[in-house]
């Protein structure tokens, strides 16, 4: 076994400390998990949030998401005791160059928004609509990037039937996280390659090669042992991956599953499969969708199942780090406020491509209706059903014009962002 | 087209046309409204790609007989037996049904991949191209 990657840019101690801070910020508000995975001393909310605020190597997305989740799980009285720590967390995520006098006012405004999001309807945990509410109500304070604005995680409530290497059908947990980006898929290539996951995410301990990479026409296949830390558990899983890059670089992905060759009776999970990808997807809030899907099943039903927590404890953080380009960053182009890295020329090109695609699809989808419509008048007697054909065509057209309107809206946003950025540089 | 053609329709023919049209007007209104409401929201359901939805002309008001063919994995290029793809009717509009399809993973172990292929009706006409995430 060679080629161990355990994180060159951060020491193992730094990664462990970072992971501990993130875990504590969750566990402090989740006593039911601490019962299954006891930690001594058990994390308390106040110190956990104070550590979160002090951690300079934890991303804004992670800090905000943990803070909102913790507050939503707490009563109003309990939250009141944590006001100062919450303000410290929010303060730590403001731009460094905000002057001290204005800083306090921004923190107070953000804190009021936080209390509103904590009280917003929904389950007592962070859900998609709560993140959207937070982004909308504090964008003037934090100027979120497109990656942050569109971040969604974790959907881990769904169970899906998957087959184990032993041929058993088991209900596996489905974990999904994603965000949209103005950057092309190729920008995410380094983070999609498994050898870099330990560099990216504090929960990944190592990736250790089990067999040599096998080149393919569009990437490579590889077997390796992946070791991750989840709270008190260390899981090592032999994975087989297929890393692929499409010829036009519009899609880069790593498909992974348990390696049949290296799977052992002692392997603690019997389903660990999915895909991490960055691909051009027309019709979204930005041109590129970065997505991570994972199916997991814990083998031993008699032990507490840490995979039930894998989305929040690890999978989510991998995507959160990717949203910032991991430790390496995205290079000189960066990701500006609101994701405003798209030039006007690029925005025009995207608009033209999107509108053309919509029109082409609309025309092809209307072909059967048009054929039927013409057929109504070319028979021996005309058919009054032409009304229905026309309405069907109207329905298809309305659907596509709705999409085109969305494309124009995004184009307008791009122009606004470009103007804002230009003004900022003047 | 003669005057006789124009006046020769029985009331039941026109009732069928305009009865259908009422539902179509509602669909048109609803779609237009949804397009306006979704304008710029950027919201999409977080999906794992395990299922795909498409709309096909109905057969006697029901989902027609559908078959998946030429399903091939994007990563490993392995074929998937089209018989493993299952189709479920989700909803129906006048003359159309919305169908959801996914892969039945209980019958055999499938290599994890995104399988892309075609859906054909009983006449062999392609009615949709689908992409399904399946396997482990």
């Amino acid at each position: 076994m060679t080629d161990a990657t355990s994180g060159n840019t951060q020491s193992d101690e730094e990664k462990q400390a970072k992971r501990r801070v993130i875990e504590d910020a969750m566990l402090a508000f989740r006593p039911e998990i601490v019962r299954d995975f006891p930690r001594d001393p058990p994390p308390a909310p106040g110190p956990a949030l104070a550590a979160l605020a002090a951690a300079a190597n934890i991303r804004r997305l992670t800090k905000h998401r943990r803070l909102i989740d913790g507050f939503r799980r707490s009563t109003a009285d309990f939250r009141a005791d944590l006001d100062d720590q919450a303000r410290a967390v929010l303060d730590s995520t403001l731009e460094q160059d905000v002057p001290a006098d204005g800083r306090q006012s921004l923190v107070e405004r953000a804190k009021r928004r936080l209390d509103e999001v904590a009280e917003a309807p929904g389950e007592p945990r962070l859900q998609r609509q709560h993140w959207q509410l937070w982004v909308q109500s504090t964008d003037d304070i934090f100027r979120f990037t497109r990656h942050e604005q569109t971040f969604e995680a974790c959907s881990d409530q769904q169970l899906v039937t998957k087959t184990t290497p032993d041929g058993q059908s088991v209900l596996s947990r489905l974990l999904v996280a994603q965000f949209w980006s103005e950057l092309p898929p190729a920008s995410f290539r380094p983070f999609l390659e498994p050898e870099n996951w330990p560099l990216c995410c504090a929960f990944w301990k190592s990736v250790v090669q089990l067999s040599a990479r096998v080149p393919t026409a569009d990437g490579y296949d590889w077997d390796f042992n992946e070791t991750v830390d989840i709270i008190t558990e260390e899981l090592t899983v032999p994975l087989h991956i297929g890393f692929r890059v499409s010829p036009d670089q519009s899609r880069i992905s790593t498909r992974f599953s348990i390696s049949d060759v290296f799977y052992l009776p002692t392997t603690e999970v019997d389903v660990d499969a999915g895909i991490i990808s960055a691909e051009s997807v027309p019709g979204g809030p930005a041109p590129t969708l970065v997505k991570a899907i994972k199916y997991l099943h814990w083998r031993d039903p008699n032990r507490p199942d840490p995979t039930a927590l894998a989305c929040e404890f690890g999978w989510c953080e991998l995507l959160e780090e990717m949203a910032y380009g991991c430790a390496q960053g995205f290079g000189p182009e960066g990701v500006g406020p609101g994701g405003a890295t798209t030039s006007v020329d690029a925005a025009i090109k995207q608009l033209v491509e999107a509108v053309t695609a919509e029109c082409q699809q609309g025309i092809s989808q209307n072909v059967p209706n048009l054929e039927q419509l013409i057929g109504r008048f070319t028979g021996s007697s005309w058919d009054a059903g032409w009304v229905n054909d026309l309405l069907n065509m109207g329905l298809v057209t309305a659907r596509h014009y709705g999409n085109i309107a969305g494309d124009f809206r995004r184009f307008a946003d791009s122009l606004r962002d470009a103007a804002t950025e230009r003004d900022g540089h003047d | 087209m003669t005057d006789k053609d124009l006046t020769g329709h029985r009331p039941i023919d026109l009732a069928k046309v305009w009865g259908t049209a009422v539902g179509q007007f509602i669909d048109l209104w609803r779609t237009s409204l949804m397009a306006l409401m979704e304008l710029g929201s950027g919201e999409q359901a977080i999906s794992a790609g395990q299922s795909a939805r498409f709309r096909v002309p109905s057969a006697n008001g029901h989902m027609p007989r559908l078959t998946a063919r030429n399903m091939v994995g994007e990563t490993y290029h392995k074929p998937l037996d089209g018989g493993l793809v299952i189709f479920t009717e989700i909803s129906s509009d006048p003359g159309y049904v919305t169908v959801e399809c996914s892969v039945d993973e209980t019958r055999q172990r499938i290599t994890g991949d995104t399988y892309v292929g075609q859906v054909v009706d009983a006449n062999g006409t392609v009615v949709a191209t689908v992409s399904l995430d399946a396997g482990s």
Side-chain angles (χ1 to χ4, degrees):
Chain A
M1 293 181 195
T2 56
D3 279 8
T5 306
S6 58
N8 297 331
T9 53
Q10 304 177 81
S11 70
D12 286 346
E13 290 73 26
E14 284 173 328
K15 281 175 68 175
Q16 194 178 347
K18 179 181 177 183
R19 183 169 62 82
R20 177 92 190 208
V21 171
I22 297 171
E23 285 178 350
D24 281 357
M26 289 189 258
L27 292 171
F29 298 92
R30 310 275 298 269
E32 75 281 6
I33 297 177
V34 180
R35 278 195 291 275
D36 281 342
F37 302 97
R39 177 170 273 178
D40 190 25
L49 289 185
L52 190 66
N57 59 351
I58 295 178
R59 309 290 189 176
R60 176 167 72 180
L61 190 55
T62 310
K63 288 188 176 186
H64 285 188
R65 289 178 58 84
R66 296 282 61 85
L67 182 60
I68 296 168
D69 187 68
F71 263 44
R72 285 195 59 80
R73 292 174 189 275
S74 309
T75 62
D77 289 344
F78 195 78
R79 286 200 302 270
D81 292 336
L82 298 170
D83 276 354
D84 290 343
Q85 290 90 339
R87 286 189 182 93
V89 173
L90 294 169
D91 192 345
S92 72
T93 61
L94 285 172
E95 298 290 337
Q96 291 300 314
D97 56 0
V98 176
D101 52 343
R103 202 171 186 91
Q104 195 175 351
S105 151
L106 289 176
V107 168
E108 283 309 313
R109 274 170 52 201
K111 175 64 176 55
R112 282 198 296 276
R113 300 289 95 80
L114 174 67
D115 290 335
E116 289 165 10
V117 175
E119 288 288 341
E123 290 185 31
R125 63 184 175 88
L126 173 62
Q127 292 177 284
R128 181 185 178 207
Q129 65 266 29
H130 306 131
W131 180 249
Q132 288 176 341
L133 177 61
W134 172 250
V135 166
Q136 285 162 9
S137 61
T138 60
D139 195 39
D140 57 331
I141 300 170
F142 295 108
R143 299 195 69 208
F144 291 107
T145 65
R146 183 79 76 228
H147 298 178
E148 292 167 326
Q149 287 169 354
T150 58
F151 195 88
E152 287 184 53
C154 271
S155 169
D156 60 357
Q157 307 296 305
Q158 196 179 344
L159 296 174
V160 179
T161 300
K162 291 284 171 187
T163 310
T164 68
D166 307 320
Q168 289 182 312
S169 288
V170 292
L171 279 176
S172 307
R173 196 168 295 275
L174 166 58
L175 323 175
V176 191
Q178 69 176 38
F179 62 86
W180 292 83
S181 175
E182 308 286 353
L183 298 171
S187 297
F188 296 91
R189 178 177 177 146
F191 327 126
L192 299 172
E193 296 209 50
E195 67 179 358
N196 290 326
W197 293 347
L199 306 177
C200 227
C201 179
F203 290 79
W204 258 261
K205 194 165 185 180
S206 65
V207 164
V208 178
Q209 176 165 294
L210 292 171
S211 66
R213 293 180 190 198
V214 179
T216 64
D218 49 359
Y220 59 85
D221 291 353
W222 194 30
D223 288 280
F224 58 84
N225 257 340
E226 170 192 89
T227 300
V228 296
D229 285 320
I230 302 178
I231 317 176
T232 56
E233 300 286 322
E234 183 179 291
L235 304 180
T236 297
V237 184
L239 291 181
H240 175 79
I241 66 106
F243 175 76
R244 299 288 184 269
V245 181
S246 66
D248 62 356
Q249 303 236 357
S250 64
R251 185 167 199 264
I252 301 176
S253 63
T254 294
R255 168 71 63 177
F256 59 92
S257 57
I258 287 184
S259 167
D260 289 345
V261 178
F262 296 100
Y263 179 67
L264 298 170
T266 51
T267 305
E268 288 166 304
V269 296
D270 50 15
V271 172
D272 189 340
I275 186 169
I276 301 185
S277 62
E279 65 178 314
S280 299
V281 177
T288 300
L289 176 62
V290 182
K291 191 167 197 168
I293 301 168
K294 191 182 186 79
Y295 302 92
L296 260 183
H297 182 260
W298 183 241
R299 199 174 192 172
D300 185 353
N302 299 315
R303 288 176 54 206
D305 175 6
T307 66
L309 311 166
C311 201
E312 289 176 275
F313 293 83
W315 199 240
C316 181
E317 210 249 341
L318 177 65
L319 259 279
E320 287 169 351
E321 282 291 332
M322 281 191 187
Y324 296 92
C326 298
Q328 303 98 312
F330 283 113
E333 70 273 24
V335 185
T341 53
T342 310
S343 69
V344 173
D345 288 344
I348 292 170
K349 186 167 178 283
Q350 283 167 17
L351 175 71
V352 170
E353 285 174 357
V355 172
T356 307
E358 285 294 340
C359 291
Q360 284 171 345
Q361 286 172 16
I363 290 168
S364 61
Q365 286 175 14
N366 263 329
V367 166
N369 295 323
L370 187 61
E371 284 176 351
Q372 208 167 342
L373 175 70
I374 293 169
R376 308 265 192 200
F377 294 96
T378 54
S380 56
S381 174
W382 73 289
D383 183 344
W386 61 269
V387 173
N388 304 122
D389 298 330
L390 268 185
L391 285 168
N392 278 335
M393 291 172 70
L395 188 64
V396 171
T397 308
R399 193 171 291 131
H400 284 283
Y401 273 107
N403 292 343
I404 287 173
D407 293 329
F408 270 98
R409 168 64 193 265
R410 277 186 289 282
F411 176 63
D413 287 347
S414 298
L415 294 182
R416 180 203 60 201
D417 292 344
T420 306
E421 192 179 27
R422 192 176 55 241
D423 293 345
H425 291 314
D426 287 344
Chain B
M1 198 177 295
T2 64
D3 289 347
K4 190 180 175 187
D5 286 333
L6 288 169
T7 56
H9 289 285
R10 294 171 301 166
I12 193 165
D13 293 333
L14 296 176
K16 186 181 167 193
V17 167
W18 288 107
T20 304
V22 169
Q24 289 177 300
F25 271 121
I26 292 170
D27 280 345
L28 190 57
W29 172 77
R30 195 175 56 185
T31 301
S32 305
L33 199 64
M34 285 303 289
L36 279 176
M37 286 169 63
E38 289 173 4
L39 182 58
S41 69
E43 284 188 26
Q44 287 194 354
I46 188 163
S47 157
Q50 294 172 287
S51 60
R53 284 188 182 191
F54 55 90
R55 202 161 163 261
V56 290
S58 61
N60 299 321
H62 298 288
M63 181 175 75
R65 190 162 158 264
L66 299 170
T67 316
R69 72 177 187 192
N70 302 332
M71 300 291 290
V72 177
E74 284 185 335
T75 305
Y76 300 113
H77 309 295
K78 289 185 179 173
L80 177 78
D81 177 3
L84 295 175
V85 178
I86 47 179
F87 300 92
T88 311
E89 184 177 329
I90 299 298
S91 63
S92 61
D93 301 325
Y96 285 88
V97 288
T98 299
V99 177
E100 185 173 88
C101 65
S102 58
V103 178
D104 180 357
E105 299 196 32
T106 60
R107 286 159 58 185
Q108 65 184 67
R109 188 161 186 230
I110 298 164
T111 302
D113 212 333
T114 304
Y115 291 91
V116 180
Q118 298 155 337
V119 178
V120 295
D121 63 15
N123 300 321
T125 306
V126 177
V127 295
T129 298
V130 292
S131 170
L132 297 170
D133 193 277
S136 55

